[in-house]
Amino acid sequence: MAGLTHASPTVDAAVPLPLQGRARRISPGFEAWRKFRRHRMAVVSVVILTALTSAVVLGPLIWRVPINEIDFTARLASPSWQHPFGTDDLGQDLLARMLYGGRISLAVGFAAMAVAMIAGTVIGAISGISRGSVDAALMWITDLFLALPQLPLLLLVIYLFRDFLKSWVGPEGGIFILIVLVIGAFRWMPVARLVRAQFLSLREKEFVEAARALGATTPRLVIRHILPNSLGPVIVAGTIDIAAAIIAESTLSFLGLGFPPDIPTWGRLLFDAKDYLDIAPHWALFAGAAIFLTVLTINFIGDGLRDALDPRRVM
């Protein structure tokens, strides 16, 4: 017995004790964040967009100059310590008007994106899970809206209904609701086609067939199994819709059919500055730079989300 030695089970020293006997699990959210943060421009864009959003939300609490305070002695003044962004033709402080208008421009972008996402997801899901005449009819309506000229119809609808909504809700609220609904109504079609394509692919997958074999109803298949797996491309499309909505609002304001003159959105500031580009370029420069920077950062964020939410892409 003295020559016998007690043999103990071997333990791989390279494997930490807490991980022995079980595989390390990484959540899909953590994996998406790991991919996203490797996209440097997307991370930088998140920082810039967060700073820009914080500035327009919290800026008026720090820079307390009234947006409608008229000072003809400072008319068309260049940027200075007293007026960091200069003044307009009435001597109004452009920094205060930029901060106030940024709230409206960003709110229009996010609200119109929500309208387009909800409408597009519902229509695309119904079309993708259905077969026959329902799918054909919904895609016919989608193709019809895609074929319509958007800008002339935007101008026509706003021209016809803006006075009614102004009298019903008020000048600012009425125009906000009208612009959000109109822009959202003309941005849901790409989302619907994208969701439909995802549904057509996913409804034939094995996990959907297994759920159907276990007795899952069609609404349960859509809500619990298919829709969550199709949201990645939809989120990416939503970021593009935010940028498109901000540009559309700026275009309408630039054409004089957006918000009233006393509501200084970024597009309205560009419209008011167009006659003074030769003597006061700062008036248009800061508003244009804000629109450009916002749209650019949102597009980079969408690019990063596309890479992060693509399961076939290894980073």
Side-chain angles (χ1 to χ4, degrees):
M1 297 295 293
L4 297 178
T5 59
H6 178 70
S8 59
T10 60
V11 178
D12 188 358
V15 180
L17 289 177
L19 297 180
Q20 292 179 11
R22 63 181 178 89
R24 184 183 178 186
R25 296 180 180 179
I26 299 177
S27 65
F30 179 81
E31 180 65 18
W33 165 244
R34 185 185 66 84
K35 292 180 180 179
F36 182 82
R37 68 184 181 186
R38 292 190 178 183
H39 196 296
R40 295 184 178 179
M41 291 304 300
V43 175
V44 173
S45 297
V46 169
V47 175
I48 295 175
L49 185 61
T50 302
L52 191 62
T53 305
S54 302
V56 299
V57 172
L58 303 176
L61 302 177
I62 301 174
W63 190 258
R64 296 180 174 273
V65 178
I67 63 171
N68 294 322
E69 181 179 312
I70 297 176
D71 182 10
F72 286 110
T73 61
R75 181 174 178 268
L76 298 177
S78 300
S80 61
W81 288 110
Q82 185 178 2
H83 302 288
F85 284 6
T87 60
D88 59 10
D89 58 334
L90 298 178
Q92 300 173 121
D93 185 77
L94 287 178
L95 175 58
R97 295 173 70 81
M98 282 278 299
L99 294 175
Y100 183 87
R103 294 179 174 183
I104 300 176
S105 295
L106 292 178
V108 167
F110 282 98
M113 179 271 296
V115 172
M117 291 277 289
I118 292 173
T121 301
V122 171
I123 294 176
I126 295 174
S127 178
I129 203 66
S130 304
R131 290 179 172 85
S133 59
V134 176
D135 182 23
L138 290 177
M139 285 300 101
W140 182 84
I141 295 174
T142 302
D143 293 336
L144 176 64
F145 271 84
L146 283 172
L148 294 175
Q150 294 190 9
L151 184 58
L153 284 177
L154 284 174
L155 300 179
L156 178 62
V157 172
I158 291 176
Y159 179 78
L160 292 176
F161 294 101
R162 63 176 178 176
D163 293 334
F164 169 74
L165 284 175
K166 281 182 180 179
S167 61
W168 183 42
V169 186
E172 187 172 350
I175 291 296
F176 179 83
I177 294 175
L178 180 60
I179 288 179
V180 166
L181 292 179
V182 168
I183 294 176
F186 285 97
R187 293 298 306 173
W188 62 267
M189 296 84 71
V191 178
R193 295 184 70 89
L194 182 60
V195 172
R196 176 179 178 270
Q198 292 290 315
F199 267 63
L200 291 178
S201 174
L202 291 173
R203 73 182 186 182
E204 307 299 334
K205 296 294 184 180
E206 291 79 2
F207 67 93
V208 176
E209 294 292 340
R212 186 181 290 113
L214 291 174
T217 60
T218 300
R220 182 178 178 86
L221 287 175
V222 171
I223 297 174
R224 293 294 300 274
H225 300 284
I226 303 179
L227 186 60
N229 288 281
S230 63
L231 287 182
V234 176
I235 293 173
V236 176
T239 61
I240 307 301
D241 281 338
I242 297 175
I246 292 175
I247 293 177
E249 184 276 322
S250 302
T251 303
L252 293 174
S253 297
F254 183 80
L255 295 175
L257 291 175
F259 288 89
D262 57 337
I263 302 176
T265 65
W266 290 342
R268 187 73 203 189
L269 289 175
L270 284 177
F271 173 77
D272 295 336
K274 71 181 187 303
D275 297 328
Y276 300 91
L277 293 176
D278 53 343
I279 59 176
H282 63 273
W283 190 353
L285 181 63
F286 290 109
I291 296 172
F292 170 77
L293 192 61
T294 303
V295 173
L296 184 66
T297 54
I298 290 175
N299 285 334
F300 274 125
I301 292 172
D303 192 26
L305 287 175
R306 181 195 62 195
D307 295 341
L309 297 176
D310 187 359
R312 295 168 297 181
R313 186 178 181 91
V314 179
M315 298 180 65

